Amino acid sequence: SQKIEQNSEALNIQEGKTATLTCNYTNYSPAYLQWYRQDPGRGPVFLLLIRENEKEKRKERLKVTFDTTLKQSLFHITASQPADSATYLCALSNNAGNMLTFGGGTRLMVKP
Amino acid sequence: ETGVTQTPRHLVMGMTNKKSLKCEQHLGHNAMYWYKQSAKKPLELMFVYNFKEQTENNSVPSRFSPECPNSSHLFLHLHTLQPEDSALYLCASSPTGSGGATGELFFGEGSRLTVL
């Protein structure tokens, strides 16, 4: 069966360090992979999209990698700040590229 | 402000009540979605509307009834719900009906539903 796995345990890091979150998937061949940020009691907010033929994408302090061989995406936040504390969701398109499925998210806590 | 507005933000209802959730998007998008987010579970897609036509019903029980009168408005009518239906219900929109896969989904802030 298809699975999207994100670490359900919270990731605690010190301010200024690089946070790295992992998204692993099985039985998928996604054409697109997205990352969203969700704050408590609020809707998810889109951050980045990466295509299957792209290895890496950057946006300001954010970097996403997409390894279709390992079936894994890594999401990095450099020079992390307490304001980066939130839950981060990865989402994969289905094989037809017309539907999106979300992982359970990883909560990031950045301590001052 | 994401351009997607959901009302009410909080709703408490009994199992015999009938209520509705409303979603409105001001982005000119053609596709709208309902998602359910329960505690400690991933977002679950419920319904997809593309140009006012329902294109996806993800095996949702009939006690949830969607309505899309136009591309800007989406409703979720609720009837004889169960306590396990308590969750955050999120509305989203996207420019096209690609399920949001090829571009970002714009989410509302959600309606927190509690069924007693």
Side-chain angles (χ1 to χ4, degrees):
Chain A
S1 63
Q2 294 179 323
K3 275 188 181 179
I4 303 172
E5 294 181 346
Q6 294 186 258
N7 194 340
S8 58
E9 291 183 15
L11 176 64
N12 294 292
I13 66 166
Q14 204 65 37
E15 181 177 9
K17 300 291 186 184
T18 296
T20 299
L21 285 72
T22 305
C23 177
N24 294 302
Y25 58 91
T26 54
N27 295 320
Y28 268 101
S29 295
Y32 307 91
L33 189 148
Q34 301 183 24
W35 284 88
Y36 287 78
R37 168 186 173 141
Q38 187 173 22
D39 291 284
R42 308 198 70 174
V45 175
F46 172 82
L47 296 174
L48 280 166
L49 177 149
I50 187 165
R51 294 174 172 76
E52 61 178 341
N53 59 352
E54 297 176 313
K55 297 287 187 189
E56 180 180 300
K57 201 152 204 182
R58 293 175 186 259
K59 179 182 175 183
E60 298 172 353
R61 292 185 296 112
L62 309 180
K63 183 178 87 171
V64 170
T65 63
F66 191 9
D67 189 326
T68 55
T69 301
L70 288 179
K71 296 187 181 296
Q72 180 182 78
S73 174
L74 299 178
F75 176 80
H76 306 274
I77 306 176
T78 58
S80 59
Q81 305 165 1
D84 295 326
S85 299
T87 296
Y88 291 86
L89 311 173
C90 76
L92 278 63
S93 67
N94 63 356
N95 294 354
N98 61 2
M99 204 54 61
L100 205 59
T101 303
F102 284 82
T106 298
R107 187 172 176 206
L108 173 67
M109 300 282 290
V110 181
K111 298 184 178 179
Chain B
E1 177 60 52
T2 64
V4 180
T5 304
Q6 290 188 243
T7 55
R9 292 294 311 277
H10 300 273
L11 178 63
V12 180
M13 59 187 288
M15 289 190 284
T16 58
N17 291 159
K18 284 185 183 180
K19 298 284 185 183
S20 296
L21 305 180
K22 178 183 176 182
C23 177
E24 183 175 0
Q25 57 98 359
H26 310 276
L27 302 168
H29 290 168
N30 296 314
M32 296 186 77
Y33 312 78
W34 280 116
Y35 279 87
K36 175 183 178 183
Q37 189 173 37
S38 305
K40 301 191 185 302
K41 292 178 74 174
L43 279 164
E44 300 173 57
L45 178 65
M46 299 176 72
F47 300 104
V48 181
Y49 278 83
N50 194 20
F51 291 96
K52 302 189 301 177
E53 298 298 320
Q54 188 180 121
T55 56
E56 183 78 17
N57 177 337
N58 203 19
S59 303
V60 180
S62 59
R63 57 185 183 271
F64 295 91
S65 174
E67 179 190 359
C68 189
N70 54 61
S71 293
S72 299
H73 293 85
L74 186 64
F75 295 89
L76 188 62
H77 303 299
L78 314 170
H79 178 49
T80 59
L81 296 191
Q82 305 297 312
E84 59 265 28
D85 296 322
S86 299
L88 182 68
Y89 288 86
L90 290 158
C91 173
S93 71
S94 67
T96 64
S98 61
T102 59
E104 65 181 283
L105 285 173
F106 292 76
F107 284 90
E109 299 290 30
S111 293
R112 172 70 61 185
L113 173 67
T114 302
V115 182
L116 301 175

